[in-house]
Coordinates of all heavy atoms in Angstrom, one line a residue:
A1 N 46.7 29.6 72.9 CA 46.4 30.2 74.3 C 46.7 31.6 74.3 O 47.4 32.1 73.5 CB 47.4 29.5 75.4
V2 N 45.9 32.3 75.2 CA 46.1 33.7 75.3 C 46.2 33.9 77.0 O 45.5 33.4 77.8 CB 44.7 34.3 75.0 CG1 44.9 35.9 75.1 CG2 44.4 33.9 73.5
G3 N 47.3 34.7 77.3 CA 47.5 35.2 78.6 C 47.5 36.6 78.8 O 47.5 37.4 77.8
L4 N 47.0 37.0 80.1 CA 46.8 38.4 80.4 C 47.4 38.7 81.7 O 47.4 37.8 82.7 CB 45.3 38.7 80.6 CG 44.3 38.7 79.3 CD1 44.0 37.2 79.2 CD2 43.3 39.6 79.6
A5 N 48.0 39.9 81.9 CA 48.7 40.3 83.2 C 48.6 41.7 83.3 O 48.9 42.5 82.5 CB 50.1 39.7 83.4
S6 N 48.2 42.2 84.4 CA 48.4 43.7 84.9 C 49.9 43.9 85.2 O 50.5 43.0 85.9 CB 47.6 43.9 86.0 OG 47.9 45.1 86.6
V7 N 50.5 44.8 84.7 CA 51.9 45.1 85.0 C 52.3 46.5 85.6 O 53.3 46.9 85.6 CB 52.7 45.0 83.6 CG1 52.8 43.6 83.1 CG2 52.1 46.0 82.6
G8 N 51.2 47.0 86.3 CA 51.5 48.3 87.0 C 51.1 49.6 86.0 O 51.0 49.3 84.8
E9 N 50.8 50.6 86.7 CA 50.4 51.9 86.0 C 49.2 51.8 85.2 O 49.1 52.7 84.1 CB 51.7 52.3 85.1 CG 52.9 52.4 85.9 CD 54.2 52.9 85.0 OE1 54.0 53.2 83.8 OE2 55.4 52.8 85.5
G10 N 48.4 50.9 85.3 CA 47.0 50.7 84.6 C 47.3 50.0 83.3 O 46.4 49.9 82.4
E11 N 48.5 49.5 83.1 CA 48.9 48.9 81.9 C 48.5 47.3 81.9 O 48.7 46.6 82.9 CB 50.4 49.0 81.5 CG 50.9 50.4 81.3 CD 50.3 51.0 80.0 OE1 50.4 50.3 79.0 OE2 50.0 52.2 79.9
V12 N 48.2 46.8 80.9 CA 47.9 45.3 80.6 C 48.8 44.7 79.5 O 48.8 45.4 78.4 CB 46.5 45.0 80.4 CG1 46.2 43.6 80.0 CG2 45.7 45.4 81.8
V13 N 49.5 43.6 79.7 CA 50.2 42.9 78.6 C 49.3 41.7 78.4 O 48.9 41.0 79.3 CB 51.6 42.6 79.0 CG1 52.1 41.7 78.1 CG2 52.4 43.9 79.1
W14 N 49.0 41.6 77.1 CA 48.3 40.4 76.7 C 49.0 39.8 75.5 O 49.5 40.4 74.7 CB 46.8 40.5 76.5 CG 46.4 41.3 75.3 CD1 46.5 42.7 75.3 CD2 45.9 40.8 74.1 NE1 45.9 43.1 74.0 CE2 45.7 41.9 73.2 CE3 45.6 39.5 73.7 CZ2 45.1 41.8 72.0 CZ3 45.1 39.5 72.4 CH2 44.9 40.5 71.6
Y15 N 49.0 38.3 75.5 CA 49.7 37.8 74.3 C 49.0 36.5 73.8 O 48.3 35.8 74.7 CB 51.2 37.4 74.9 CG 51.1 36.4 76.2 CD1 51.1 35.2 76.0 CD2 51.1 37.2 77.4 CE1 51.0 34.4 77.3 CE2 51.1 36.5 78.5 CZ 51.0 35.1 78.4 OH 51.0 34.3 79.7
V16 N 49.1 36.2 72.6 CA 48.6 35.0 72.0 C 49.7 34.1 71.6 O 50.7 34.5 70.9 CB 47.9 35.4 70.7 CG1 47.2 34.1 70.2 CG2 46.8 36.5 70.9
Q17 N 49.7 32.9 72.2 CA 50.6 31.9 71.9 C 50.0 30.9 71.0 O 48.9 30.4 71.1 CB 51.1 31.3 73.2 CG 51.9 32.0 74.1 CD 52.1 31.4 75.5 OE1 51.2 30.5 75.9 NE2 53.0 31.8 76.3
F18 N 50.7 30.6 69.8 CA 50.2 29.7 68.9 C 51.3 28.8 68.0 O 52.5 29.3 68.1 CB 49.5 30.5 67.8 CG 50.2 31.6 67.1 CD1 50.7 31.2 65.8 CD2 50.5 32.8 67.6 CE1 51.5 32.3 64.9 CE2 51.2 33.7 66.8 CZ 51.8 33.5 65.5
D19 N 50.8 27.8 67.8 CA 51.7 26.8 67.0 C 51.6 27.2 65.5 O 50.7 27.0 64.9 CB 51.2 25.2 67.3 CG 52.1 24.3 66.6 OD1 52.9 24.5 65.6 OD2 52.1 23.1 67.1
R20 N 52.7 27.5 64.9 CA 52.7 28.0 63.6 C 52.4 26.9 62.6 O 51.9 27.2 61.4 CB 54.1 28.6 63.2 CG 54.5 29.8 64.0 CD 55.8 30.5 63.3 NE 56.9 29.6 63.3 CZ 57.7 29.2 64.2 NH1 57.5 29.9 65.5 NH2 58.7 28.4 64.1
R21 N 52.5 25.7 63.0 CA 52.1 24.6 62.1 C 50.8 24.5 61.8 O 50.2 23.9 60.8 CB 52.8 23.4 62.5 CG 54.3 23.4 62.5 CD 54.9 22.1 63.3 NE 54.3 22.0 64.6 CZ 54.6 21.1 65.5 NH1 55.6 20.0 65.1 NH2 54.1 20.9 66.7
A22 N 50.0 24.8 63.0 CA 48.5 24.8 62.7 C 47.9 26.2 62.4 O 46.9 26.3 61.9 CB 48.0 24.4 64.1
H23 N 48.6 27.3 62.8 CA 48.2 28.6 62.6 C 49.3 29.5 62.2 O 49.9 30.1 62.7 CB 47.8 29.3 64.0 CG 46.7 28.4 64.9 ND1 45.4 28.2 64.4 CD2 46.9 27.6 66.0 CE1 45.0 27.4 65.3 NE2 45.7 27.1 66.3
P24 N 49.2 29.5 60.8 CA 50.4 30.2 60.1 C 50.5 31.6 60.5 O 49.6 32.4 60.7 CB 50.0 30.1 58.6 CG 49.1 28.9 58.5 CD 48.5 28.7 59.7
M25 N 51.7 32.0 60.6 CA 52.1 33.4 61.2 C 51.7 34.5 60.2 O 51.8 34.4 59.0 CB 53.5 33.5 61.5 CG 53.9 34.7 62.2 SD 55.6 34.5 63.1 CE 56.6 34.4 61.7
P26 N 51.0 35.5 60.8 CA 50.6 36.7 59.8 C 51.8 37.6 59.5 O 52.9 37.4 60.0 CB 49.7 37.6 60.8 CG 50.4 37.3 62.2 CD 50.7 35.8 62.2
E27 N 51.5 38.4 58.5 CA 52.7 39.4 58.1 C 52.8 40.3 59.3 O 52.0 40.6 60.1 CB 52.2 40.1 56.9 CG 51.9 39.4 55.7 CD 53.3 38.9 55.1 OE1 54.4 39.5 55.3 OE2 53.4 37.8 54.6
D28 N 54.0 41.0 59.4 CA 54.3 41.8 60.5 C 53.9 43.2 60.2 O 54.7 44.1 60.2 CB 55.8 41.7 60.8 CG 56.3 42.4 62.1 OD1 55.3 42.6 62.9 OD2 57.5 42.6 62.3
E29 N 52.6 43.3 60.0 CA 52.0 44.6 59.8 C 50.8 44.8 60.7 O 50.2 43.8 61.0 CB 51.5 44.8 58.4 CG 52.7 44.6 57.3 CD 52.2 44.7 55.9 OE1 50.9 44.7 55.8 OE2 53.0 44.8 55.0
A30 N 50.5 46.0 61.2 CA 49.4 46.1 62.2 C 48.1 45.6 61.7 O 47.4 44.8 62.5 CB 49.3 47.6 62.4
D31 N 47.7 45.7 60.5 CA 46.3 45.2 60.0 C 46.4 43.7 60.0 O 45.3 43.1 60.4 CB 46.1 45.8 58.6 CG 45.7 47.3 58.8 OD1 45.5 47.8 59.9 OD2 45.6 48.0 57.6
A32 N 47.4 43.2 59.5 CA 47.6 41.8 59.4 C 47.4 41.0 60.9 O 46.9 40.0 61.1 CB 48.8 41.4 58.7
K33 N 48.1 41.7 61.9 CA 48.3 41.1 63.1 C 46.8 41.2 63.8 O 46.3 40.4 64.5 CB 49.2 41.9 64.0 CG 50.8 41.4 63.6 CD 51.8 42.2 64.5 CE 51.9 43.6 64.1 NZ 53.1 44.2 64.7
E34 N 46.1 42.4 63.6 CA 44.8 42.6 64.1 C 43.8 41.6 63.5 O 43.0 40.9 64.2 CB 44.2 44.0 63.8 CG 42.8 44.1 64.5 CD 42.4 45.6 64.4 OE1 43.0 46.5 63.8 OE2 41.3 45.9 64.7
R35 N 43.8 41.4 62.2 CA 43.0 40.4 61.4 C 43.3 39.0 61.9 O 42.3 38.2 62.2 CB 43.1 40.4 60.0 CG 42.6 41.6 59.4 CD 42.5 41.3 57.8 NE 43.9 41.2 57.2 CZ 44.6 42.1 56.8 NH1 44.3 43.4 56.8 NH2 45.9 41.8 56.2
F36 N 44.6 38.7 62.3 CA 45.0 37.4 62.8 C 44.4 37.1 64.1 O 43.9 36.2 64.3 CB 46.5 37.3 62.8 CG 47.0 36.1 63.4 CD1 47.2 35.0 62.6 CD2 47.5 36.0 64.6 CE1 47.6 33.6 63.2 CE2 48.0 34.7 65.1 CZ 48.1 33.6 64.4
A37 N 44.5 38.2 65.0 CA 44.0 37.9 66.3 C 42.4 37.9 66.4 O 41.9 37.0 67.1 CB 44.3 39.2 67.2
R38 N 41.7 38.5 65.6 CA 40.3 38.6 65.5 C 39.9 37.2 65.0 O 39.0 36.5 65.4 CB 39.8 39.6 64.6 CG 39.7 41.0 65.1 CD 39.1 42.1 64.3 NE 39.2 43.4 64.8 CZ 38.5 43.8 65.8 NH1 37.5 43.0 66.3 NH2 38.6 45.0 66.2
R39 N 40.6 36.7 63.8 CA 40.2 35.3 63.3 C 40.5 34.2 64.4 O 39.6 33.3 64.6 CB 40.9 35.1 62.1 CG 40.7 33.7 61.5 CD 41.4 33.6 60.2 NE 42.9 33.7 60.3 CZ 43.6 32.7 60.7 NH1 43.2 31.5 61.1 NH2 45.1 32.9 60.8
L40 N 41.7 34.3 65.0 CA 41.9 33.2 65.8 C 41.2 33.2 67.1 O 40.9 32.1 67.6 CB 43.4 33.4 66.1 CG 44.4 32.2 66.2 CD1 44.3 31.5 64.9 CD2 45.8 32.5 66.6
L41 N 40.6 34.4 67.6 CA 40.0 34.4 68.9 C 38.5 34.7 68.7 O 37.9 35.1 69.8 CB 40.6 35.4 69.7 CG 42.2 35.1 70.0 CD1 42.7 36.3 70.9 CD2 42.5 33.8 70.6
R42 N 38.0 34.5 67.5 CA 36.5 34.6 67.3 C 35.8 33.8 68.2 O 35.9 32.6 68.3 CB 36.2 34.5 65.8 CG 34.7 34.8 65.5 CD 34.4 34.6 64.1 NE 35.2 35.6 63.2 CZ 36.2 35.3 62.5 NH1 36.4 34.0 62.2 NH2 36.8 36.2 61.7
G43 N 34.9 34.4 69.0 CA 34.0 33.6 69.9 C 34.6 33.4 71.3 O 33.9 32.8 72.2
W44 N 35.9 33.8 71.5 CA 36.5 33.7 73.0 C 35.8 34.8 73.7 O 35.4 35.7 73.4 CB 37.9 34.0 72.9 CG 38.6 32.5 72.1 CD1 38.2 31.9 71.0 CD2 39.9 31.9 72.5 NE1 39.1 31.0 70.7 CE2 40.1 31.0 71.6 CE3 40.6 32.1 73.6 CZ2 41.1 30.1 71.8 CZ3 41.8 31.1 73.8 CH2 42.0 30.2 72.9
P45 N 35.9 34.5 75.1 CA 35.1 35.3 76.0 C 35.8 36.7 76.4 O 37.0 36.9 76.0 CB 35.0 34.6 77.2 CG 36.2 33.6 77.2 CD 36.5 33.4 75.8

């Protein structure tokens, strides 16, 4: 699942919730996290 919220000051917090057993967790590096988000949410609106 993916959630979005406006938190004031024009800022937005968005988060991806995932079951690690179905979607193995990425390395804790910026490029890995970006690739993970792109792969997991490909085709989402």
Side-chain angles (χ1 to χ4, degrees):
V2 184
L4 298 82
S6 170
V7 289
E9 304 176 10
E11 298 285 323
V12 171
V13 170
W14 69 281
Y15 53 91
V16 183
Q17 296 169 334
F18 59 97
D19 186 334
R20 294 190 304 278
R21 298 170 303 176
H23 309 287
M25 191 162 60
E27 295 293 324
D28 192 12
E29 298 175 354
D31 289 347
K33 288 181 287 190
E34 181 175 358
R35 287 194 302 271
F36 178 77
R38 288 186 183 280
R39 176 178 59 80
L40 224 55
L41 305 179
R42 184 176 294 115
W44 289 45

